[in-house]
Amino acid sequence: MSISVYLNRASLTLLLVAGLTSPHCVAAVSDELKAVAEKVNALNAHFPANSITTNDVAVVALDETQRLEQELQAWYTNAERDCRQRFFVNDCLKQAKNQRREYLPIIRRVSQEAKALQRQLRVLAADERLAKEQIKEK
């Protein structure tokens, strides 16, 4: 075994002992991610597809999605900061990005559904208003 191979293995062992190359590089903020994940899963259970049927429900859904998106972004910012202090920065950043991608579509689906309902209700209200104006003109 050459000396350079031995030194590389020794260096890797030191890094592993120091915790710099752990497979879960964002472990410092994993509790924060778990909390956000639970909230996102609760949001998904509370607002399944096509369950937003009134403006009041849409407003509540939008408030929750905005809050959760901010929490997820705060977690991601903290995870990025944590990754920049690690040995394998790019791998850590990739893991954090993939973890965020797991929850972002759920939040966006609920938000888009709520916004679509609100647009539909606004169109219906405008149609009713126009119909009433046309009746008055006759």
Side-chain angles (χ1 to χ4, degrees):
M1 180 180 309
S2 70
I3 293 176
S4 63
V5 172
Y6 177 75
L7 288 175
N8 287 340
R9 286 185 180 171
S11 299
L12 184 59
T13 303
L14 285 173
L15 290 172
L16 288 172
V17 169
L20 295 176
T21 59
S22 71
H24 302 290
C25 65
V26 290
V29 290
S30 66
D31 291 338
E32 191 178 343
L33 178 62
K34 287 179 186 176
V36 172
E38 288 174 4
K39 291 176 185 177
V40 170
N41 290 330
L43 176 80
N44 194 31
H46 191 257
F47 298 107
N50 301 320
S51 66
I52 301 174
T53 56
T54 66
N55 190 46
D56 294 336
V57 174
V59 169
V60 170
L62 284 174
D63 289 343
E64 287 187 40
T65 57
Q66 288 173 350
R67 185 178 46 79
L68 281 176
E69 196 162 356
Q70 289 172 352
E71 286 183 35
L72 187 61
Q73 184 59 39
W75 169 83
Y76 184 67
T77 302
N78 290 338
E80 279 184 319
R81 189 177 311 116
D82 184 54
C83 286
R84 303 234 184 267
Q85 299 172 0
R86 303 283 178 172
F87 184 73
F88 294 114
V89 174
N90 290 336
D91 186 47
C92 182
L93 289 172
K94 185 177 178 181
Q95 284 181 351
K97 190 179 290 186
N98 287 337
Q99 288 174 328
R100 184 178 73 163
R101 282 184 185 155
E102 184 177 341
Y103 302 107
L104 207 51
I106 297 169
I107 295 171
R108 289 191 175 151
R109 177 196 58 82
V110 173
S111 176
Q112 288 171 352
E113 187 176 325
K115 289 177 181 178
L117 176 75
Q118 286 183 330
R119 280 192 302 274
Q120 184 180 14
L121 292 175
R122 279 194 304 269
V123 167
L124 289 173
D127 287 347
E128 286 179 23
R129 190 175 58 249
L130 285 173
K132 287 180 183 176
E133 288 176 8
Q134 288 176 353
I135 291 173
K136 287 182 183 177
E137 290 176 3
K138 290 184 180 182

